Amino acid sequence: MSKFITLEGVDGAGKSTHIPTIANLLRAQGKEVLVTREPGGTPLGEKLRALLLHEAMHPETETMLMFAARREHLEQVIKPALARGVYVLSDRFTDATFAYQCGGRGVSADKVRQLETWVQDSFQPDLTLLFDVPIAVSTQRLAGARDPDRFERENGEFFERIRQAYLARATDFPQRFRIIDSGKTLKEITKKLEEIVLSI
Ligand code: TMP
């Protein structure tokens, strides 16, 4: 049986570093794995990503474009792969919208839930790995980034609200969330990921 696994965390939490590790652990178990990302994952989604990361816009416009990209992603990539028995690893999904647009930008969670139902019906990830780290650490990691995008340029308070919104999601959906302490060493994190992958 295929599984839809999502990876979440504030910018600079280090999740992207660990995606190849998770994919390789699954492949070592004989699973076929597709790695994808949001916003993006389709040709149109990647064009929307460029707009989302670089063009100023109203927070609700931002929210709707995230879901427009997601609609394409679900239809063209995620659902067909799952139907073929492939494990799908997505670097971000709808929890990011609740964290960034609701927590970070203050968009109404009710509106986002309506869009979620419209775009996904009851479809949800089977497993969500939340890479959690204090904002002082993630902003330090981001400080070295060249050419930061609209999100990466935001201040520590914005990211603190996002972090808290993610942690609240993890409390609300404990059956699918696993929190990874991203402040730990690479070795410790890899060990934790191995445990999680083995338990799937
Ligand atoms: P990335 O840097 O992890 O690839 O993500 C791009 C940015 O998009 C990141 O700063 C988080 C943001 N984002 C949202 O604000 N809402 C969303 O729904 C998604 C999927 C990403």
Side-chain angles (χ1 to χ4, degrees), residues 7-12 15-16 37-40 49 52-53 62-63 65-67 70 90-101 105 142 149-152 158-159 162 166:
L7 299 110
E8 301 283 358
V10 298
D11 290 85
K15 75 190 152 47
S16 308
R37 69 171 180 182
E38 288 207 352
R49 178 187 176 92
L52 282 159
L53 296 194
E62 188 177 277
T63 305
L65 288 182
M66 291 291 176
F67 273 104
R70 187 163 296 136
S90 187
D91 186 345
R92 303 192 183 282
F93 193 63
T94 304
D95 294 305
T97 316
F98 282 100
Y100 279 77
Q101 279 64 51
R105 306 257 196 241
L142 280 182
D149 63 40
R150 278 175 67 233
F151 295 97
E152 291 165 342
F158 176 78
F159 287 113
I162 291 167
Y166 268 133

Side-chain angles (χ1 to χ4, degrees), residues 59 63-64 67 70 94-99 101-102 107-120 169:
T63 305
M64 290 187 279
F67 273 104
R70 187 163 296 136
T94 304
D95 294 305
T97 316
F98 282 100
Q101 279 64 51
C102 301
V107 172
S108 142
D110 275 343
K111 288 184 179 174
V112 172
R113 274 191 286 271
Q114 284 176 36
L115 287 170
E116 180 186 36
T117 305
W118 187 22
V119 167
Q120 298 167 221
R169 298 282 294 164

Side-chain angles (χ1 to χ4, degrees), residues 152-193:
E152 291 165 342
R153 281 199 298 269
E154 291 286 348
N155 63 24
E157 282 168 23
F158 176 78
F159 287 113
E160 190 56 54
R161 292 197 298 276
I162 291 167
R163 182 185 187 203
Q164 295 311 324
Y166 268 133
L167 291 170
R169 298 282 294 164
T171 304
D172 288 348
F173 303 100
Q175 68 288 1
R176 75 174 163 89
F177 265 87
R178 299 286 177 277
I179 300 177
I180 317 280
D181 180 350
S182 212
K184 293 225 162 116
T185 64
L186 198 59
K187 202 174 159 195
E188 287 169 317
I189 295 174
T190 305
K191 188 161 174 281
K192 174 87 177 167
L193 292 174

Side-chain angles (χ1 to χ4, degrees), residues 15-166:
K15 75 190 152 47
S16 308
T17 314
H18 301 291
I19 292 177
T21 311
I22 302 165
N24 288 336
L25 286 167
L26 287 165
R27 287 187 183 116
Q29 291 191 354
K31 320 279 190 212
E32 193 182 333
V33 181
L34 177 85
V35 177
T36 186
R37 69 171 180 182
E38 288 207 352
T42 66
L44 177 60
E46 291 295 326
K47 286 185 182 165
L48 292 171
R49 178 187 176 92
L51 290 173
L52 282 159
L53 296 194
H54 301 292
E55 295 284 331
M57 63 184 77
H58 189 280
E60 291 189 350
T61 309
E62 188 177 277
T63 305
M64 290 187 279
L65 288 182
M66 291 291 176
F67 273 104
R70 187 163 296 136
R71 187 74 189 86
E72 289 295 302
H73 196 205
L74 276 167
E75 201 63 21
Q76 289 189 28
V77 177
I78 299 173
K79 288 190 173 175
L82 293 172
R84 293 196 310 274
V86 173
Y87 275 56
V88 178
L89 279 187
S90 187
D91 186 345
R92 303 192 183 282
F93 193 63
T94 304
D95 294 305
T97 316
F98 282 100
Y100 279 77
Q101 279 64 51
C102 301
R105 306 257 196 241
V107 172
S108 142
D110 275 343
K111 288 184 179 174
V112 172
R113 274 191 286 271
Q114 284 176 36
L115 287 170
E116 180 186 36
T117 305
W118 187 22
V119 167
Q120 298 167 221
D121 289 320
S122 59
F123 181 85
Q124 291 292 333
D126 296 296
L127 174 69
T128 299
L129 304 180
L130 172 58
F131 290 82
D132 182 57
V133 75
I135 298 306
V137 176
S138 58
T139 45
Q140 184 72 31
R141 287 181 186 160
L142 280 182
R146 271 184 295 133
D147 199 15
D149 63 40
R150 278 175 67 233
F151 295 97
E152 291 165 342
R153 281 199 298 269
E154 291 286 348
N155 63 24
E157 282 168 23
F158 176 78
F159 287 113
E160 190 56 54
R161 292 197 298 276
I162 291 167
R163 182 185 187 203
Q164 295 311 324
Y166 268 133

